[in-house]
Amino acid sequence: MLVIEVRDCELLSSLEQAAQREGIRNAAIVTLIGAVDSFTVSTMPASDATKDVLTDYDLPAEMTATGEIVDGKPHIHAVMAVEGDRAIAGHVHRAQIGTWFARAYVTAL
């Protein structure tokens, strides 16, 4: 199992670069934990599962996630815990790591 630590950068691009460095094309992201400073996630509208509704959040969040790396690109679904004991969940399009860190536990396929 490979542990990828992300600090002071964008999560998805950092994971993609780490996978490339390690020669990983396809992998399971068994778990991913950490905290983000801001993020963008998408969900599907109830009327059309083929569409994405993207929402940007400019607020810090605790993150737990899982996903995969397919053809070198990370695909992550996360739950972000934000102020007020609320959870925001969805497909991650962007997650800026700055104040804290994130760690992805990855198993190559």
Side-chain angles (χ1 to χ4, degrees), residues 11-12 15 29 32 65-68 74-78 90-93:
L11 176 66
L12 297 175
L15 291 176
I29 299 173
L32 191 152
T66 189
E68 59 188 355
H75 179 102
I76 296 170
H77 287 204
H91 171 83
V92 178
H93 290 265

Side-chain angles (χ1 to χ4, degrees), residues 4-102:
I4 301 170
E5 185 164 309
V6 178
R7 291 184 181 270
D8 296 319
C9 59
E10 199 283 320
L11 176 66
L12 297 175
S13 62
S14 182
L15 291 176
E16 185 174 347
Q17 290 168 7
Q20 185 176 29
R21 242 186 349 267
E22 297 291 330
I24 296 172
R25 294 289 299 150
N26 298 290
I29 299 173
V30 178
T31 191
L32 191 152
I33 62 166
V36 303
D37 294 300
S38 63
F39 60 98
T40 301
V41 294
S42 69
T43 56
M44 299 175 284
S47 62
D48 188 350
T50 66
K51 304 247 189 263
D52 281 329
V53 177
L54 275 75
T55 307
D56 293 309
Y57 295 91
D58 189 22
L59 44 104
E62 298 282 343
M63 172 180 59
T64 184
T66 189
E68 59 188 355
I69 297 172
V70 177
D71 293 330
K73 303 279 186 198
H75 179 102
I76 296 170
H77 287 204
V79 176
M80 306 293 199
V82 299
E83 182 179 16
D85 301 324
R86 296 178 300 132
I88 299 169
H91 171 83
V92 178
H93 290 265
R94 179 191 63 81
Q96 189 63 43
I97 312 292
T99 304
W100 297 103
F101 62 89

